[in-house]
Amino acid sequence: MTKTVTDVETSITTTSKRRDIFNYLRAGFPALWVMTHEENRAERELADAASDDERHHVFVWSVTQGLLCIAAPGSDQDRLKLCQPNLTDPMALLKELLPLPNPRTTKVPEEALVILRDFHWFLDAADVVRKLRDIVGFYKATRRTLVFVSPLSRIPIEMEKEVTLVEYPLPTQDEVGVVFDQIVQSVGKEKAGVTDRERMLESALGLSTFEAEQTFALALVKHGTLNDDAIMTVQHEKAAIVKKDGIREFFEAEVSMDDVGGLNE
């Protein structure tokens, strides 16, 4: 059975970033802004860091799925009781995180980690920002942590001193190697026909986990094997992705296509 990108991400351990997040949690930081396109990867690291810090409740909110509890002590039934899938309105969510006049009526336990997906879309409203500032103050006193996960940094100026920005790096060569090995495993080593694993991984440096998986898969479909021609396909696809991100001119000014291996070379 072919593994999904989520399965691949689960196999990757970015210990340095997990350690950074653990340190923020242990130090009692009430709000983090994690900037990344790799939502699943970041959320897995956040949940692992919370577990390391003996925080047993982890919640994830999105405008489409409401407030879900993805980790809690006890049975799955106990965990599901904490989920509020109908809580999709941003302000209704914030009122649940800090219900007034009695904050203790919230279903989010002390020392919980609450992840907000794509919340940058809702930060233009004054009442939303004001409520978030109130929540951050409350979370600071109760060892809860609010985490914004977004592909861009849009921290309101009113909260710049209260929210810590955490930039997630793109996968390392070892992490790209996990993705590649999963692709090889899915078709078998003989059929994969890998000719130069190291050069293939270098060619994919600068891509996200999802982009690397898709690019390897495309090269395999196109050539039927992961040979030197497949490496060239990975290089060309990466160049197209870089161009889409708006840094193509810088890339071509210094490096020819024959030299494309990793963006850091």
Side-chain angles (χ1 to χ4, degrees):
M1 182 178 68
T2 302
K3 297 196 176 188
T4 66
V5 68
T6 303
D7 296 326
V8 173
E9 287 171 341
T10 303
S11 302
I12 299 174
T13 302
T14 51
T15 55
S16 61
K17 187 55 61 179
R18 176 173 167 177
R19 188 180 304 111
D20 288 344
I21 294 171
F22 167 80
N23 288 337
Y24 287 132
L25 297 181
R26 177 57 59 91
F29 281 48
L32 305 176
W33 187 291
V34 176
M35 189 171 69
T36 179
H37 283 86
E38 298 188 272
E39 189 175 85
N40 291 330
R41 178 178 167 223
E43 289 176 5
R44 177 183 53 80
E45 290 287 326
L46 286 162
D48 287 345
S51 178
D52 293 342
D53 194 36
E54 299 184 355
R55 299 193 185 202
H56 303 299
H57 291 88
V58 179
F59 292 82
V60 175
W61 179 88
S62 71
V63 72
T64 55
Q65 296 180 322
L67 185 63
L68 304 180
C69 181
I70 63 171
S75 66
D76 282 344
Q77 186 175 4
D78 293 333
R79 177 180 59 80
L80 291 174
K81 288 179 180 179
L82 297 174
C83 295
Q84 300 182 65
N86 295 325
L87 200 62
T88 56
D89 179 75
M91 181 52 75
L93 164 77
L94 300 184
K95 289 179 179 178
E96 166 57 33
L97 298 183
L98 181 58
L100 297 175
N102 185 5
R104 294 185 180 276
T105 61
T106 178
K107 290 185 178 181
V108 178
E110 289 194 14
E111 301 191 352
L113 187 74
V114 181
I115 300 169
L116 306 183
R117 293 175 176 169
D118 299 325
F119 209 81
H120 60 274
W121 288 108
F122 312 110
L123 295 176
D124 291 332
D127 56 344
V128 169
V129 174
R130 179 63 261 175
K131 187 67 173 180
L132 281 170
R133 296 190 72 186
D134 295 340
I135 291 170
V136 169
F138 174 61
Y139 275 27
K140 177 67 174 177
T142 58
R143 207 167 176 265
R144 296 173 172 91
T145 301
L146 194 65
V147 183
F148 302 88
V149 175
S150 170
L152 70 165
S153 174
R154 195 175 290 175
I155 302 173
I157 189 170
E158 298 91 341
M159 301 183 68
E160 286 181 349
K161 302 301 182 182
E162 301 163 330
V163 180
T164 301
L165 179 63
V166 180
E167 295 188 55
Y168 246 71
L170 289 167
T172 65
Q173 184 165 323
D174 287 343
E175 293 166 346
V176 171
V178 172
V179 178
F180 181 73
D181 292 342
Q182 294 282 10
I183 295 286
V184 172
Q185 183 181 356
S186 70
V187 299
K189 288 185 178 180
E190 184 174 350
K191 183 177 179 180
V194 179
T195 55
D196 192 336
R197 181 180 182 274
E198 183 174 358
R199 187 168 165 232
M200 179 69 81
L201 301 187
E202 290 174 350
S203 298
L205 284 178
L207 299 179
S208 70
T209 301
F210 178 80
E211 290 168 338
E213 184 191 35
Q214 296 296 101
T215 302
F216 291 145
L218 174 64
L220 180 60
V221 169
K222 183 176 180 179
H223 301 285
T225 182
L226 293 168
N227 57 12
D228 290 348
D229 289 337
I231 293 174
M232 289 301 299
T233 292
V234 171
Q235 293 172 352
H236 282 283
E237 287 300 312
K238 184 173 76 172
I241 291 170
V242 169
K243 181 178 181 180
K244 180 183 69 175
D245 288 343
I247 56 174
R248 172 72 170 192
E249 292 181 359
F250 170 81
F251 174 78
E252 287 192 331
E254 301 294 338
V255 185
S256 68
M257 283 305 306
D258 291 336
D259 294 329
V260 175
L263 291 181
N264 61 341
E265 293 186 352

